[in-house]
Amino acid sequence: KLAAVYEPIGAEWARSLFHKKSKISGLIIDPDLGWEVLSPVARVLGLNTDDIEASKKFDPSATGQKELFALLSASQDPQSFQNYSELLTLKKKEDNASPSVLRHSMRSFLNAWNSDRTKNWSSIYFAELENISKTSDDTYAADFGERLYPGLC
């Protein structure tokens, strides 16, 4: 199961599988499986330009772009962490970051394998929880609380 990949060697293999440099006999990578294959790459290594461009071509649908946004939110890059922190707390807006896209990204933003990220997010989460409840619709505020809190535990 690719969700269990936490080491760079496994993530590199997943990357090569996505780019069709490695093959498994009989395996056809459809869009759903493609996003699952890229997930450990995003978590462990971060997506590079080739990964991003290939994924846009592989699944150009609105759902595909939503999946890409979610995987990018899992990036280990400090600038990415800052960007997604501001988006999830509604301090910053992007055209392609609708509330449903942000809700979907919350699932991959906090990761158990990245304790520095969760440690840094903890104070932001509790400071913003009340503000989000006041400034967003009830659904977004509830999702913010429910989807991000377990990642902090």
Side-chain angles (χ1 to χ4, degrees), residues 87-106:
L87 286 169
L88 293 176
T89 57
L90 306 177
K91 290 184 181 213
K92 179 178 170 182
K93 295 197 181 298
E94 281 185 14
D95 290 341
N96 61 343
S98 68
S100 72
V101 168
L102 291 175
R103 284 197 272 288
H104 185 68
S105 296
M106 286 178 199

Side-chain angles (χ1 to χ4, degrees), residues 27-116:
L27 179 68
I28 297 171
I29 299 179
D30 64 9
D32 289 339
L33 183 56
W35 294 115
E36 189 175 328
V37 168
L38 272 181
S39 182
V41 176
R43 280 194 327 261
V44 178
L45 303 171
L47 299 181
N48 63 31
T49 305
D50 291 340
D51 300 328
I52 294 167
E53 292 307 313
S55 67
K56 287 178 181 177
K57 290 177 186 168
F58 178 73
D59 186 0
S61 70
T63 300
Q65 297 315 298
K66 185 176 180 178
E67 293 294 336
L68 176 59
F69 196 91
L71 289 184
L72 290 171
S73 75
S75 173
Q76 307 301 316
D77 174 50
Q79 182 57 45
S80 196
F81 174 75
Q82 179 67 32
N83 181 50
Y84 285 92
S85 292
E86 291 174 359
L87 286 169
L88 293 176
T89 57
L90 306 177
K91 290 184 181 213
K92 179 178 170 182
K93 295 197 181 298
E94 281 185 14
D95 290 341
N96 61 343
S98 68
S100 72
V101 168
L102 291 175
R103 284 197 272 288
H104 185 68
S105 296
M106 286 178 199
R107 295 183 191 275
S108 60
F109 179 71
L110 291 179
N111 303 305
W113 58 88
N114 191 342
S115 59
D116 287 343

